[in-house]
Structure formats: C-alpha cells, structure tokens
Amino acid sequence: LAQLFAHVVNGLEEEPSDFLGRVFMQLEMGDKYRGQFFTPWSIARMMAQLQLGNIEEQLKVKPFITLWEPACGAGCMVLAYASVMMEAGYPPHRHLWFSATDIDPLAAGMAYIQLSLCGVAGEVVIGNALSDERRRVLRTPVHYWERWPENLRNNTKGQKQLFQVA
C-alpha cells in the first residue's frame, strides 16, 4: 500500500495531471454504462484557461474563486483549474475553493486523494449532484489548514461566486 501511495505521489509530482484518472482509464476500469469517460488533461487545461480568463481581474472583484464540479471523476477539472491558477502566480490553496461531486465512491475517492495531495482546498461529495444527494462529504486537509470555512462565511459579497464545469 505504501508503494502504491508513493507511485501516486511521484506521478503527481512528475507533471501536473490527472494521474489516477489516466491510470483508471488505461486499466479499462471505466464503466461506459455509468458514463465514465475521464476528461483528457489537455482538454481540461484548455477548458480551465478559457473559463478562468484573466484571474487577476477576477480576484480584484472577489476574494477567491469557487468551483462546482457536478461529475468530478478523479478530479481532473479541479486539478486543471488549480494548475492554471498556479501558473498565473496565484496559489490555489489561497485563491480557489471547490465542491466536487461524483456518484461513484471509487472515483470520488481518487479525486479526494489527488486534490488533497495537490493542496487544493474544498470538498469531495459522494452523491448525486442532479438530486442534491450528499451521502458523504470529504473535505481536503487544506480546507481546514487555510481556514476555508471562515473564508466562505466571510465572503465580502455575502454570496458564492461559482464557476460551474459543464
């Protein structure tokens, strides 16, 4: 188990990507009947760049960016947003908070592991985003370390600003 964990850490350190999602698909573990086709990293990065646009301008208007991902898989889209923000000079643990949901506990677990290891603040929900079912909520360590419950409560606009991943 320790060796497998080390492989995941090494895979995430090698280059920003959806390491576990890529392994999942290479092992043909995806369930086509559940619609499990994980987004390729290059597509996720492009979508994050297009949707985020000028991050500096956005952070002048609001203190942080929130992201809602209703079918997160292994967390590829959230990882892509974090990567784009980091490259723009904005550490995601301070400027990005996410809520990611997946109906499959295995996929949600992969998302939790990767997002926790990559230092992204937020929650992974095992449930159904369409029916607002929340069977289990897993918050990343950075969610607590960086005091995100307080940040979310003290949002200067008093409302959540959400990017929704389509």
Side-chain angles (χ1 to χ4, degrees):
L1 192 57
Q3 288 179 331
L4 288 174
F5 187 68
H7 284 298
V8 172
V9 171
N10 290 337
L12 291 169
E13 283 181 347
E14 189 175 299
E15 64 177 294
S17 69
D18 177 12
F19 177 77
L20 289 176
R22 189 172 65 242
V23 170
F24 189 80
M25 294 308 288
Q26 286 174 346
L27 294 174
E28 298 180 1
M29 294 175 67
D31 183 350
K32 67 180 178 182
Y33 300 106
R34 284 186 168 175
Q36 286 184 317
F37 301 99
F38 290 20
T39 307
W41 180 250
S42 58
I43 302 297
R45 290 250 326 138
M46 178 194 66
M47 290 173 64
Q49 290 169 330
L50 290 172
Q51 286 191 331
L52 281 171
N54 188 331
I55 299 168
E56 183 178 358
E57 289 298 317
Q58 290 184 50
L59 292 175
K60 286 180 183 176
V61 178
K62 53 191 171 187
F64 53 85
I65 293 170
T66 55
L67 173 67
W68 181 56
E69 167 59 293
C72 70
C76 184
M77 289 302 302
V78 180
L79 290 167
Y81 274 75
S83 176
V84 168
M85 290 187 75
M86 183 67 84
E87 285 179 12
Y90 296 94
H93 68 280
R94 291 203 175 113
H95 300 284
L96 175 67
W97 187 88
F98 74 89
S99 179
T101 302
D102 205 283
I103 201 163
D104 180 8
L106 178 60
M110 291 189 302
Y112 178 77
I113 289 168
Q114 292 194 123
L115 294 165
S116 293
L117 288 172
C118 289
V120 186
E123 65 184 15
V124 176
V125 178
I126 300 170
N128 187 335
L130 293 175
S131 64
D132 201 27
E133 173 194 18
R134 296 168 63 93
R135 286 178 289 180
R136 187 166 181 203
V137 178
L138 308 165
R139 292 186 176 89
T140 63
V142 176
H143 171 81
Y144 297 106
W145 292 338
E146 292 292 327
R147 300 183 180 171
W148 275 97
E150 184 179 319
N151 294 341
L152 294 168
R153 268 193 312 275
N154 296 334
N155 186 348
T156 58
K157 301 265 186 222
Q159 60 189 10
K160 289 185 179 180
Q161 296 94 14
L162 293 171
F163 279 101
Q164 182 173 346
V165 176

